[in-house]
PDB file of all heavy atoms in Angstrom:
ATOM      1  N   THR A   1      10.838  -5.913  -8.882  1.00 96.00           N
ATOM      2  CA  THR A   1       9.865  -6.826  -8.133  1.00 96.00           C
ATOM      3  C   THR A   1      10.431  -7.172  -6.826  1.00 96.00           C
ATOM      4  O   THR A   1      11.650  -7.462  -6.724  1.00 96.00           O
ATOM      5  CB  THR A   1       9.521  -8.044  -9.005  1.00 96.00           C
ATOM      6  OG1 THR A   1       8.981  -7.580 -10.334  1.00 96.00           O
ATOM      7  CG2 THR A   1       8.517  -8.884  -8.306  1.00 96.00           C
ATOM      8  N   GLY A   2       9.605  -6.990  -5.778  1.00 96.00           N
ATOM      9  CA  GLY A   2      10.073  -7.376  -4.440  1.00 96.00           C
ATOM     10  C   GLY A   2      10.732  -6.273  -3.631  1.00 96.00           C
ATOM     11  O   GLY A   2      10.888  -6.331  -2.423  1.00 96.00           O
ATOM     12  N   GLU A   3      11.023  -5.093  -4.255  1.00 96.00           N
ATOM     13  CA  GLU A   3      11.565  -4.086  -3.520  1.00 96.00           C
ATOM     14  C   GLU A   3      10.488  -3.422  -2.642  1.00 96.00           C
ATOM     15  O   GLU A   3       9.353  -3.308  -2.979  1.00 96.00           O
ATOM     16  CB  GLU A   3      12.074  -2.884  -4.477  1.00 96.00           C
ATOM     17  CG  GLU A   3      13.448  -3.215  -5.126  1.00 96.00           C
ATOM     18  CD  GLU A   3      14.040  -1.963  -5.743  1.00 96.00           C
ATOM     19  OE1 GLU A   3      14.385  -0.933  -4.997  1.00 96.00           O
ATOM     20  OE2 GLU A   3      14.212  -1.966  -6.965  1.00 96.00           O
ATOM     21  N   GLU A   4      10.948  -2.921  -1.464  1.00 96.00           N
ATOM     22  CA  GLU A   4      10.054  -2.364  -0.425  1.00 96.00           C
ATOM     23  C   GLU A   4      10.024  -0.848  -0.650  1.00 96.00           C
ATOM     24  O   GLU A   4      11.122  -0.256  -0.693  1.00 96.00           O
ATOM     25  CB  GLU A   4      10.471  -2.842   1.022  1.00 96.00           C
ATOM     26  CG  GLU A   4       9.419  -2.519   2.013  1.00 96.00           C
ATOM     27  CD  GLU A   4       9.837  -3.100   3.315  1.00 96.00           C
ATOM     28  OE1 GLU A   4      10.623  -2.514   4.101  1.00 96.00           O
ATOM     29  OE2 GLU A   4       9.251  -4.186   3.678  1.00 96.00           O
ATOM     30  N   LEU A   5       8.888  -0.326  -0.754  1.00 95.00           N
ATOM     31  CA  LEU A   5       8.714   1.113  -0.777  1.00 95.00           C
ATOM     32  C   LEU A   5       7.819   1.642   0.295  1.00 95.00           C
ATOM     33  O   LEU A   5       7.016   1.011   0.907  1.00 95.00           O
ATOM     34  CB  LEU A   5       7.976   1.532  -2.114  1.00 95.00           C
ATOM     35  CG  LEU A   5       8.706   1.087  -3.455  1.00 95.00           C
ATOM     36  CD1 LEU A   5       7.757   1.520  -4.653  1.00 95.00           C
ATOM     37  CD2 LEU A   5      10.033   1.769  -3.563  1.00 95.00           C
ATOM     38  N   THR A   6       8.094   2.922   0.703  1.00 94.00           N
ATOM     39  CA  THR A   6       7.249   3.612   1.595  1.00 94.00           C
ATOM     40  C   THR A   6       6.752   4.842   0.993  1.00 94.00           C
ATOM     41  O   THR A   6       7.535   5.682   0.585  1.00 94.00           O
ATOM     42  CB  THR A   6       8.028   3.959   2.950  1.00 94.00           C
ATOM     43  OG1 THR A   6       8.482   2.819   3.516  1.00 94.00           O
ATOM     44  CG2 THR A   6       7.164   4.640   3.933  1.00 94.00           C
ATOM     45  N   LEU A   7       5.413   4.987   0.869  1.00 93.00           N
ATOM     46  CA  LEU A   7       4.860   6.103   0.109  1.00 93.00           C
ATOM     47  C   LEU A   7       3.654   6.595   0.932  1.00 93.00           C
ATOM     48  O   LEU A   7       3.027   5.861   1.675  1.00 93.00           O
ATOM     49  CB  LEU A   7       4.350   5.737  -1.264  1.00 93.00           C
ATOM     50  CG  LEU A   7       5.400   5.406  -2.302  1.00 93.00           C
ATOM     51  CD1 LEU A   7       4.652   4.876  -3.513  1.00 93.00           C
ATOM     52  CD2 LEU A   7       6.147   6.600  -2.595  1.00 93.00           C
ATOM     53  N   PRO A   8       3.220   7.905   0.616  1.00 93.00           N
ATOM     54  CA  PRO A   8       1.970   8.347   1.248  1.00 93.00           C
ATOM     55  C   PRO A   8       0.821   7.523   0.767  1.00 93.00           C
ATOM     56  O   PRO A   8       0.762   6.920  -0.322  1.00 93.00           O
ATOM     57  CB  PRO A   8       1.804   9.781   0.667  1.00 93.00           C
ATOM     58  CG  PRO A   8       3.150  10.206   0.334  1.00 93.00           C
ATOM     59  CD  PRO A   8       3.881   8.944  -0.076  1.00 93.00           C
ATOM     60  N   TYR A   9      -0.204   7.360   1.620  1.00 94.00           N
ATOM     61  CA  TYR A   9      -1.400   6.489   1.296  1.00 94.00           C
ATOM     62  C   TYR A   9      -2.003   6.627  -0.057  1.00 94.00           C
ATOM     63  O   TYR A   9      -2.250   5.673  -0.779  1.00 94.00           O
ATOM     64  CB  TYR A   9      -2.482   6.718   2.348  1.00 94.00           C
ATOM     65  CG  TYR A   9      -3.639   5.909   2.191  1.00 94.00           C
ATOM     66  CD1 TYR A   9      -3.684   4.560   2.476  1.00 94.00           C
ATOM     67  CD2 TYR A   9      -4.827   6.465   1.589  1.00 94.00           C
ATOM     68  CE1 TYR A   9      -4.830   3.782   2.359  1.00 94.00           C
ATOM     69  CE2 TYR A   9      -6.014   5.687   1.392  1.00 94.00           C
ATOM     70  CZ  TYR A   9      -5.982   4.418   1.850  1.00 94.00           C
ATOM     71  OH  TYR A   9      -7.132   3.622   1.600  1.00 94.00           O
ATOM     72  N   ALA A  10      -2.212   7.877  -0.503  1.00 93.00           N
ATOM     73  CA  ALA A  10      -2.781   8.085  -1.856  1.00 93.00           C
ATOM     74  C   ALA A  10      -1.921   7.533  -2.953  1.00 93.00           C
ATOM     75  O   ALA A  10      -2.529   6.899  -3.791  1.00 93.00           O
ATOM     76  CB  ALA A  10      -2.961   9.578  -2.027  1.00 93.00           C
ATOM     77  N   TYR A  11      -0.616   7.681  -2.856  1.00 93.00           N
ATOM     78  CA  TYR A  11       0.257   7.089  -3.912  1.00 93.00           C
ATOM     79  C   TYR A  11       0.321   5.571  -3.788  1.00 93.00           C
ATOM     80  O   TYR A  11       0.314   4.818  -4.860  1.00 93.00           O
ATOM     81  CB  TYR A  11       1.632   7.686  -3.846  1.00 93.00           C
ATOM     82  CG  TYR A  11       1.765   9.096  -4.275  1.00 93.00           C
ATOM     83  CD1 TYR A  11       2.550   9.971  -3.560  1.00 93.00           C
ATOM     84  CD2 TYR A  11       1.025   9.658  -5.304  1.00 93.00           C
ATOM     85  CE1 TYR A  11       2.730  11.283  -3.912  1.00 93.00           C
ATOM     86  CE2 TYR A  11       1.190  10.951  -5.668  1.00 93.00           C
ATOM     87  CZ  TYR A  11       1.940  11.785  -4.986  1.00 93.00           C
ATOM     88  OH  TYR A  11       2.074  13.157  -5.394  1.00 93.00           O
ATOM     89  N   ALA A  12       0.303   5.068  -2.594  1.00 94.00           N
ATOM     90  CA  ALA A  12       0.337   3.594  -2.321  1.00 94.00           C
ATOM     91  C   ALA A  12      -0.978   3.002  -2.973  1.00 94.00           C
ATOM     92  O   ALA A  12      -0.934   1.977  -3.596  1.00 94.00           O
ATOM     93  CB  ALA A  12       0.485   3.332  -0.953  1.00 94.00           C
ATOM     94  N   MET A  13      -2.098   3.742  -2.818  1.00 95.00           N
ATOM     95  CA  MET A  13      -3.430   3.206  -3.297  1.00 95.00           C
ATOM     96  C   MET A  13      -3.378   3.256  -4.893  1.00 95.00           C
ATOM     97  O   MET A  13      -4.018   2.410  -5.529  1.00 95.00           O
ATOM     98  CB  MET A  13      -4.550   3.981  -2.742  1.00 95.00           C
ATOM     99  CG  MET A  13      -4.961   3.492  -1.370  1.00 95.00           C
ATOM    100  SD  MET A  13      -5.360   1.768  -1.198  1.00 95.00           S
ATOM    101  CE  MET A  13      -6.842   1.684  -2.226  1.00 95.00           C
ATOM    102  N   ARG A  14      -2.749   4.216  -5.460  1.00 93.00           N
ATOM    103  CA  ARG A  14      -2.615   4.275  -6.915  1.00 93.00           C
ATOM    104  C   ARG A  14      -1.951   2.993  -7.377  1.00 93.00           C
ATOM    105  O   ARG A  14      -2.422   2.363  -8.314  1.00 93.00           O
ATOM    106  CB  ARG A  14      -1.918   5.442  -7.295  1.00 93.00           C
ATOM    107  CG  ARG A  14      -2.673   6.761  -7.307  1.00 93.00           C
ATOM    108  CD  ARG A  14      -1.921   7.993  -7.568  1.00 93.00           C
ATOM    109  NE  ARG A  14      -1.348   7.902  -8.932  1.00 93.00           N
ATOM    110  CZ  ARG A  14      -0.567   8.934  -9.379  1.00 93.00           C
ATOM    111  NH1 ARG A  14      -0.311   9.942  -8.583  1.00 93.00           N
ATOM    112  NH2 ARG A  14      -0.066   8.851 -10.617  1.00 93.00           N
ATOM    113  N   LEU A  15      -0.851   2.615  -6.747  1.00 95.00           N
ATOM    114  CA  LEU A  15      -0.123   1.384  -7.146  1.00 95.00           C
ATOM    115  C   LEU A  15      -0.894   0.122  -6.796  1.00 95.00           C
ATOM    116  O   LEU A  15      -0.979  -0.823  -7.607  1.00 95.00           O
ATOM    117  CB  LEU A  15       1.196   1.360  -6.531  1.00 95.00           C
ATOM    118  CG  LEU A  15       2.240   2.428  -7.066  1.00 95.00           C
ATOM    119  CD1 LEU A  15       3.488   2.374  -6.200  1.00 95.00           C
ATOM    120  CD2 LEU A  15       2.512   2.125  -8.475  1.00 95.00           C
ATOM    121  N   PHE A  16      -1.680   0.148  -5.680  1.00 96.00           N
ATOM    122  CA  PHE A  16      -2.481  -0.948  -5.315  1.00 96.00           C
ATOM    123  C   PHE A  16      -3.553  -1.189  -6.420  1.00 96.00           C
ATOM    124  O   PHE A  16      -3.770  -2.324  -6.918  1.00 96.00           O
ATOM    125  CB  PHE A  16      -3.117  -0.743  -3.937  1.00 96.00           C
ATOM    126  CG  PHE A  16      -4.191  -1.789  -3.637  1.00 96.00           C
ATOM    127  CD1 PHE A  16      -3.721  -2.928  -3.022  1.00 96.00           C
ATOM    128  CD2 PHE A  16      -5.513  -1.603  -3.923  1.00 96.00           C
ATOM    129  CE1 PHE A  16      -4.773  -3.911  -2.731  1.00 96.00           C
ATOM    130  CE2 PHE A  16      -6.465  -2.561  -3.546  1.00 96.00           C
ATOM    131  CZ  PHE A  16      -6.073  -3.781  -2.968  1.00 96.00           C
ATOM    132  N   SER A  17      -4.192  -0.083  -6.828  1.00 94.00           N
ATOM    133  CA  SER A  17      -5.293  -0.208  -7.823  1.00 94.00           C
ATOM    134  C   SER A  17      -4.831  -0.675  -9.155  1.00 94.00           C
ATOM    135  O   SER A  17      -5.554  -1.222  -9.956  1.00 94.00           O
ATOM    136  CB  SER A  17      -5.968   1.127  -7.981  1.00 94.00           C
ATOM    137  OG  SER A  17      -6.587   1.530  -6.710  1.00 94.00           O
ATOM    138  N   ALA A  18      -3.495  -0.362  -9.448  1.00 94.00           N
ATOM    139  CA  ALA A  18      -2.838  -0.772 -10.699  1.00 94.00           C
ATOM    140  C   ALA A  18      -2.350  -2.237 -10.640  1.00 94.00           C
ATOM    141  O   ALA A  18      -1.862  -2.704 -11.652  1.00 94.00           O
ATOM    142  CB  ALA A  18      -1.851   0.176 -11.112  1.00 94.00           C
ATOM    143  N   GLY A  19      -2.382  -2.861  -9.492  1.00 95.00           N
ATOM    144  CA  GLY A  19      -1.867  -4.237  -9.342  1.00 95.00           C
ATOM    145  C   GLY A  19      -0.449  -4.302  -9.089  1.00 95.00           C
ATOM    146  O   GLY A  19       0.174  -5.337  -9.240  1.00 95.00           O
ATOM    147  N   PHE A  20       0.245  -3.273  -8.554  1.00 96.00           N
ATOM    148  CA  PHE A  20       1.674  -3.253  -8.351  1.00 96.00           C
ATOM    149  C   PHE A  20       2.142  -3.603  -6.912  1.00 96.00           C
ATOM    150  O   PHE A  20       3.227  -3.703  -6.622  1.00 96.00           O
ATOM    151  CB  PHE A  20       2.233  -1.869  -8.745  1.00 96.00           C
ATOM    152  CG  PHE A  20       2.446  -1.738 -10.208  1.00 96.00           C
ATOM    153  CD1 PHE A  20       1.499  -1.314 -11.065  1.00 96.00           C
ATOM    154  CD2 PHE A  20       3.833  -1.895 -10.652  1.00 96.00           C
ATOM    155  CE1 PHE A  20       1.767  -1.104 -12.386  1.00 96.00           C
ATOM    156  CE2 PHE A  20       4.083  -1.740 -12.037  1.00 96.00           C
ATOM    157  CZ  PHE A  20       3.068  -1.397 -12.818  1.00 96.00           C
ATOM    158  N   VAL A  21       1.041  -3.883  -6.043  1.00 96.00           N
ATOM    159  CA  VAL A  21       1.358  -4.061  -4.655  1.00 96.00           C
ATOM    160  C   VAL A  21       1.306  -5.615  -4.374  1.00 96.00           C
ATOM    161  O   VAL A  21       0.299  -6.295  -4.589  1.00 96.00           O
ATOM    162  CB  VAL A  21       0.467  -3.369  -3.658  1.00 96.00           C
ATOM    163  CG1 VAL A  21       0.757  -3.707  -2.275  1.00 96.00           C
ATOM    164  CG2 VAL A  21       0.684  -1.854  -3.861  1.00 96.00           C
ATOM    165  N   GLU A  22       2.406  -6.194  -3.882  1.00 97.00           N
ATOM    166  CA  GLU A  22       2.464  -7.620  -3.586  1.00 97.00           C
ATOM    167  C   GLU A  22       1.458  -7.897  -2.470  1.00 97.00           C
ATOM    168  O   GLU A  22       1.376  -7.236  -1.451  1.00 97.00           O
ATOM    169  CB  GLU A  22       3.844  -7.957  -3.097  1.00 97.00           C
ATOM    170  CG  GLU A  22       4.075  -9.427  -2.892  1.00 97.00           C
ATOM    171  CD  GLU A  22       5.563  -9.702  -2.554  1.00 97.00           C
ATOM    172  OE1 GLU A  22       6.469  -9.618  -3.393  1.00 97.00           O
ATOM    173  OE2 GLU A  22       5.842  -9.879  -1.290  1.00 97.00           O
ATOM    174  N   GLY A  23       0.652  -8.978  -2.652  1.00 96.00           N
ATOM    175  CA  GLY A  23      -0.296  -9.424  -1.782  1.00 96.00           C
ATOM    176  C   GLY A  23      -1.647  -8.619  -1.804  1.00 96.00           C
ATOM    177  O   GLY A  23      -2.514  -8.904  -1.074  1.00 96.00           O
ATOM    178  N   GLY A  24      -1.731  -7.714  -2.653  1.00 95.00           N
ATOM    179  CA  GLY A  24      -2.962  -6.902  -2.915  1.00 95.00           C
ATOM    180  C   GLY A  24      -3.691  -7.389  -4.120  1.00 95.00           C
ATOM    181  O   GLY A  24      -3.031  -7.645  -5.174  1.00 95.00           O
ATOM    182  N   GLU A  25      -4.912  -7.403  -4.038  1.00 94.00           N
ATOM    183  CA  GLU A  25      -5.744  -7.736  -5.205  1.00 94.00           C
ATOM    184  C   GLU A  25      -6.752  -6.562  -5.486  1.00 94.00           C
ATOM    185  O   GLU A  25      -7.633  -6.310  -4.746  1.00 94.00           O
ATOM    186  CB  GLU A  25      -6.531  -8.984  -4.976  1.00 94.00           C
ATOM    187  CG  GLU A  25      -5.718 -10.188  -4.762  1.00 94.00           C
ATOM    188  CD  GLU A  25      -6.564 -11.476  -4.359  1.00 94.00           C
ATOM    189  OE1 GLU A  25      -7.715 -11.592  -4.977  1.00 94.00           O
ATOM    190  OE2 GLU A  25      -6.185 -12.224  -3.464  1.00 94.00           O
ATOM    191  N   PRO A  26      -6.517  -5.841  -6.568  1.00 94.00           N
ATOM    192  CA  PRO A  26      -7.270  -4.633  -6.805  1.00 94.00           C
ATOM    193  C   PRO A  26      -8.855  -4.908  -6.913  1.00 94.00           C
ATOM    194  O   PRO A  26      -9.641  -4.060  -6.517  1.00 94.00           O
ATOM    195  CB  PRO A  26      -6.878  -4.171  -8.267  1.00 94.00           C
ATOM    196  CG  PRO A  26      -5.514  -4.683  -8.355  1.00 94.00           C
ATOM    197  CD  PRO A  26      -5.413  -6.007  -7.613  1.00 94.00           C
ATOM    198  N   GLY A  27      -9.249  -6.151  -7.283  1.00 93.00           N
ATOM    199  CA  GLY A  27     -10.615  -6.540  -7.299  1.00 93.00           C
ATOM    200  C   GLY A  27     -11.155  -6.838  -5.871  1.00 93.00           C
ATOM    201  O   GLY A  27     -12.425  -7.015  -5.787  1.00 93.00           O
ATOM    202  N   ARG A  28     -10.331  -6.927  -4.926  1.00 94.00           N
ATOM    203  CA  ARG A  28     -10.787  -7.104  -3.594  1.00 94.00           C
ATOM    204  C   ARG A  28     -10.186  -5.976  -2.666  1.00 94.00           C
ATOM    205  O   ARG A  28      -9.146  -6.200  -2.050  1.00 94.00           O
ATOM    206  CB  ARG A  28     -10.298  -8.521  -3.048  1.00 94.00           C
ATOM    207  CG  ARG A  28     -10.944  -9.605  -3.850  1.00 94.00           C
ATOM    208  CD  ARG A  28     -10.467 -11.010  -3.329  1.00 94.00           C
ATOM    209  NE  ARG A  28     -10.728 -11.126  -2.003  1.00 94.00           N
ATOM    210  CZ  ARG A  28      -9.933 -11.905  -1.176  1.00 94.00           C
ATOM    211  NH1 ARG A  28      -8.842 -12.390  -1.615  1.00 94.00           N
ATOM    212  NH2 ARG A  28     -10.225 -11.936   0.103  1.00 94.00           N
ATOM    213  N   PRO A  29     -10.899  -4.922  -2.534  1.00 91.00           N
ATOM    214  CA  PRO A  29     -10.281  -3.721  -1.843  1.00 91.00           C
ATOM    215  C   PRO A  29      -9.920  -4.070  -0.341  1.00 91.00           C
ATOM    216  O   PRO A  29      -8.980  -3.474   0.143  1.00 91.00           O
ATOM    217  CB  PRO A  29     -11.423  -2.697  -1.859  1.00 91.00           C
ATOM    218  CG  PRO A  29     -12.358  -3.153  -3.006  1.00 91.00           C
ATOM    219  CD  PRO A  29     -12.175  -4.624  -3.106  1.00 91.00           C
ATOM    220  N   GLN A  30     -10.497  -5.091   0.320  1.00 93.00           N
ATOM    221  CA  GLN A  30     -10.200  -5.384   1.684  1.00 93.00           C
ATOM    222  C   GLN A  30      -8.844  -5.877   1.756  1.00 93.00           C
ATOM    223  O   GLN A  30      -8.241  -5.873   2.859  1.00 93.00           O
ATOM    224  CB  GLN A  30     -11.198  -6.349   2.214  1.00 93.00           C
ATOM    225  CG  GLN A  30     -11.255  -7.738   1.578  1.00 93.00           C
ATOM    226  CD  GLN A  30     -12.271  -7.820   0.367  1.00 93.00           C
ATOM    227  OE1 GLN A  30     -12.552  -6.872  -0.267  1.00 93.00           O
ATOM    228  NE2 GLN A  30     -12.596  -9.036  -0.013  1.00 93.00           N
ATOM    229  N   THR A  31      -8.135  -6.281   0.641  1.00 94.00           N
ATOM    230  CA  THR A  31      -6.657  -6.786   0.775  1.00 94.00           C
ATOM    231  C   THR A  31      -5.748  -5.504   0.880  1.00 94.00           C
ATOM    232  O   THR A  31      -4.586  -5.845   1.246  1.00 94.00           O
ATOM    233  CB  THR A  31      -6.293  -7.619  -0.511  1.00 94.00           C
ATOM    234  OG1 THR A  31      -6.437  -6.817  -1.613  1.00 94.00           O
ATOM    235  CG2 THR A  31      -7.218  -8.818  -0.610  1.00 94.00           C
ATOM    236  N   ALA A  32      -6.182  -4.386   0.626  1.00 94.00           N
ATOM    237  CA  ALA A  32      -5.325  -3.203   0.735  1.00 94.00           C
ATOM    238  C   ALA A  32      -4.852  -3.054   2.158  1.00 94.00           C
ATOM    239  O   ALA A  32      -3.691  -2.627   2.386  1.00 94.00           O
ATOM    240  CB  ALA A  32      -6.029  -1.963   0.300  1.00 94.00           C
ATOM    241  N   GLU A  33      -5.664  -3.322   3.162  1.00 92.00           N
ATOM    242  CA  GLU A  33      -5.305  -3.120   4.565  1.00 92.00           C
ATOM    243  C   GLU A  33      -4.169  -4.028   4.927  1.00 92.00           C
ATOM    244  O   GLU A  33      -3.219  -3.551   5.728  1.00 92.00           O
ATOM    245  CB  GLU A  33      -6.534  -3.339   5.455  1.00 92.00           C
ATOM    246  CG  GLU A  33      -6.307  -2.951   6.892  1.00 92.00           C
ATOM    247  CD  GLU A  33      -7.511  -3.039   7.736  1.00 92.00           C
ATOM    248  OE1 GLU A  33      -8.648  -2.914   7.239  1.00 92.00           O
ATOM    249  OE2 GLU A  33      -7.353  -3.417   8.941  1.00 92.00           O
ATOM    250  N   THR A  34      -4.062  -5.219   4.442  1.00 94.00           N
ATOM    251  CA  THR A  34      -2.995  -6.097   4.865  1.00 94.00           C
ATOM    252  C   THR A  34      -1.818  -5.882   3.888  1.00 94.00           C
ATOM    253  O   THR A  34      -0.684  -6.031   4.359  1.00 94.00           O
ATOM    254  CB  THR A  34      -3.455  -7.598   4.802  1.00 94.00           C
ATOM    255  OG1 THR A  34      -3.939  -7.846   3.497  1.00 94.00           O
ATOM    256  CG2 THR A  34      -4.423  -7.856   5.880  1.00 94.00           C
ATOM    257  N   ALA A  35      -1.952  -5.546   2.665  1.00 96.00           N
ATOM    258  CA  ALA A  35      -0.913  -5.382   1.772  1.00 96.00           C
ATOM    259  C   ALA A  35      -0.110  -4.059   1.936  1.00 96.00           C
ATOM    260  O   ALA A  35       1.059  -3.913   1.727  1.00 96.00           O
ATOM    261  CB  ALA A  35      -1.387  -5.437   0.290  1.00 96.00           C
ATOM    262  N   LEU A  36      -0.888  -3.046   2.398  1.00 96.00           N
ATOM    263  CA  LEU A  36      -0.254  -1.646   2.580  1.00 96.00           C
ATOM    264  C   LEU A  36      -0.144  -1.502   4.195  1.00 96.00           C
ATOM    265  O   LEU A  36      -1.063  -1.051   4.787  1.00 96.00           O
ATOM    266  CB  LEU A  36      -1.171  -0.566   2.063  1.00 96.00           C
ATOM    267  CG  LEU A  36      -1.348  -0.688   0.516  1.00 96.00           C
ATOM    268  CD1 LEU A  36      -2.353   0.337   0.072  1.00 96.00           C
ATOM    269  CD2 LEU A  36      -0.112  -0.547  -0.264  1.00 96.00           C
ATOM    270  N   LYS A  37       1.063  -1.757   4.662  1.00 95.00           N
ATOM    271  CA  LYS A  37       1.216  -1.750   6.119  1.00 95.00           C
ATOM    272  C   LYS A  37       1.515  -0.201   6.498  1.00 95.00           C
ATOM    273  O   LYS A  37       2.304   0.498   5.960  1.00 95.00           O
ATOM    274  CB  LYS A  37       2.464  -2.595   6.558  1.00 95.00           C
ATOM    275  CG  LYS A  37       2.107  -4.049   6.300  1.00 95.00           C
ATOM    276  CD  LYS A  37       3.389  -4.883   6.320  1.00 95.00           C
ATOM    277  CE  LYS A  37       3.081  -6.318   6.010  1.00 95.00           C
ATOM    278  NZ  LYS A  37       2.366  -6.611   4.861  1.00 95.00           N
ATOM    279  N   ARG A  38       0.720   0.168   7.548  1.00 94.00           N
ATOM    280  CA  ARG A  38       0.900   1.534   8.080  1.00 94.00           C
ATOM    281  C   ARG A  38       2.259   1.765   8.669  1.00 94.00           C
ATOM    282  O   ARG A  38       2.670   0.908   9.476  1.00 94.00           O
ATOM    283  CB  ARG A  38      -0.293   1.804   9.030  1.00 94.00           C
ATOM    284  CG  ARG A  38      -0.339   3.268   9.567  1.00 94.00           C
ATOM    285  CD  ARG A  38      -1.342   3.452  10.569  1.00 94.00           C
ATOM    286  NE  ARG A  38      -2.679   3.248  10.098  1.00 94.00           N
ATOM    287  CZ  ARG A  38      -3.459   4.125   9.536  1.00 94.00           C
ATOM    288  NH1 ARG A  38      -3.070   5.404   9.468  1.00 94.00           N
ATOM    289  NH2 ARG A  38      -4.705   3.899   9.097  1.00 94.00           N
ATOM    290  N   VAL A  39       2.815   2.894   8.513  1.00 91.00           N
ATOM    291  CA  VAL A  39       4.115   3.234   9.043  1.00 91.00           C
ATOM    292  C   VAL A  39       3.784   4.248  10.125  1.00 91.00           C
ATOM    293  O   VAL A  39       3.235   5.319   9.897  1.00 91.00           O
ATOM    294  CB  VAL A  39       5.050   3.776   8.072  1.00 91.00           C
ATOM    295  CG1 VAL A  39       6.340   4.312   8.675  1.00 91.00           C
ATOM    296  CG2 VAL A  39       5.372   2.831   6.844  1.00 91.00           C
ATOM    297  N   ASN A  40       4.172   3.941  11.370  1.00 80.00           N
ATOM    298  CA  ASN A  40       3.855   4.969  12.436  1.00 80.00           C
ATOM    299  C   ASN A  40       4.925   6.089  12.337  1.00 80.00           C
ATOM    300  O   ASN A  40       6.136   5.825  12.435  1.00 80.00           O
ATOM    301  CB  ASN A  40       4.010   4.244  13.779  1.00 80.00           C
ATOM    302  CG  ASN A  40       2.956   3.224  14.022  1.00 80.00           C
ATOM    303  OD1 ASN A  40       1.848   3.364  13.455  1.00 80.00           O
ATOM    304  ND2 ASN A  40       3.288   2.227  14.702  1.00 80.00           N
ATOM    305  N   PRO A  41       4.493   7.272  12.192  1.00 65.00           N
ATOM    306  CA  PRO A  41       5.444   8.377  12.056  1.00 65.00           C
ATOM    307  C   PRO A  41       6.069   8.707  13.376  1.00 65.00           C
ATOM    308  O   PRO A  41       5.496   8.338  14.520  1.00 65.00           O
ATOM    309  CB  PRO A  41       4.602   9.607  11.673  1.00 65.00           C
ATOM    310  CG  PRO A  41       3.261   9.188  12.076  1.00 65.00           C
ATOM    311  CD  PRO A  41       3.089   7.706  11.990  1.00 65.00           C
ATOM    312  N   PRO A  42       7.246   9.214  13.503  1.00 59.00           N
ATOM    313  CA  PRO A  42       7.813   9.520  14.874  1.00 59.00           C
ATOM    314  C   PRO A  42       6.859  10.552  15.567  1.00 59.00           C
ATOM    315  O   PRO A  42       6.290  11.413  14.938  1.00 59.00           O
ATOM    316  CB  PRO A  42       9.187  10.151  14.531  1.00 59.00           C
ATOM    317  CG  PRO A  42       9.113  10.581  13.062  1.00 59.00           C
ATOM    318  CD  PRO A  42       8.029   9.653  12.461  1.00 59.00           C
ATOM    319  N   ALA A  43       6.920  10.386  16.856  1.00 61.00           N
ATOM    320  CA  ALA A  43       6.095  11.317  17.665  1.00 61.00           C
ATOM    321  C   ALA A  43       6.623  12.714  17.530  1.00 61.00           C
ATOM    322  O   ALA A  43       7.870  12.865  17.669  1.00 61.00           O
ATOM    323  CB  ALA A  43       6.065  10.815  19.133  1.00 61.00           C
ATOM    324  N   LYS A  44       5.821  13.703  17.329  1.00 61.00           N
ATOM    325  CA  LYS A  44       6.232  15.050  17.246  1.00 61.00           C
ATOM    326  C   LYS A  44       5.868  15.757  18.504  1.00 61.00           C
ATOM    327  O   LYS A  44       4.850  15.533  19.049  1.00 61.00           O
ATOM    328  CB  LYS A  44       5.464  15.799  16.145  1.00 61.00           C
ATOM    329  CG  LYS A  44       5.842  15.308  14.723  1.00 61.00           C
ATOM    330  CD  LYS A  44       5.024  16.055  13.655  1.00 61.00           C
ATOM    331  CE  LYS A  44       5.364  15.540  12.297  1.00 61.00           C
ATOM    332  NZ  LYS A  44       4.602  16.189  11.293  1.00 61.00           N
TER     333      LYS A  44
END
């Protein structure tokens, strides 16, 4: 609990939907945007 992970969006959403994301409430999908912070990939 409390460990920080970085995953592709689809996998992160699986954990969000299962209630594993801190600050996220599966019953309130709008909380996904704040709980799952976007990681900017390095410019290619």
Side-chain angles (χ1 to χ4, degrees):
T1 301
E3 279 195 65
E4 192 170 81
L5 299 178
T6 301
L7 290 173
Y9 178 76
Y11 290 140
M13 280 303 294
R14 283 174 60 184
L15 289 174
F16 173 84
S17 297
F20 278 82
V21 175
E22 187 176 284
E25 297 177 41
R28 296 181 55 217
Q30 63 273 23
T31 62
E33 190 174 328
T34 54
L36 302 173
K37 294 166 183 51
R38 184 182 300 266
V39 175
N40 294 329
K44 294 181 182 178

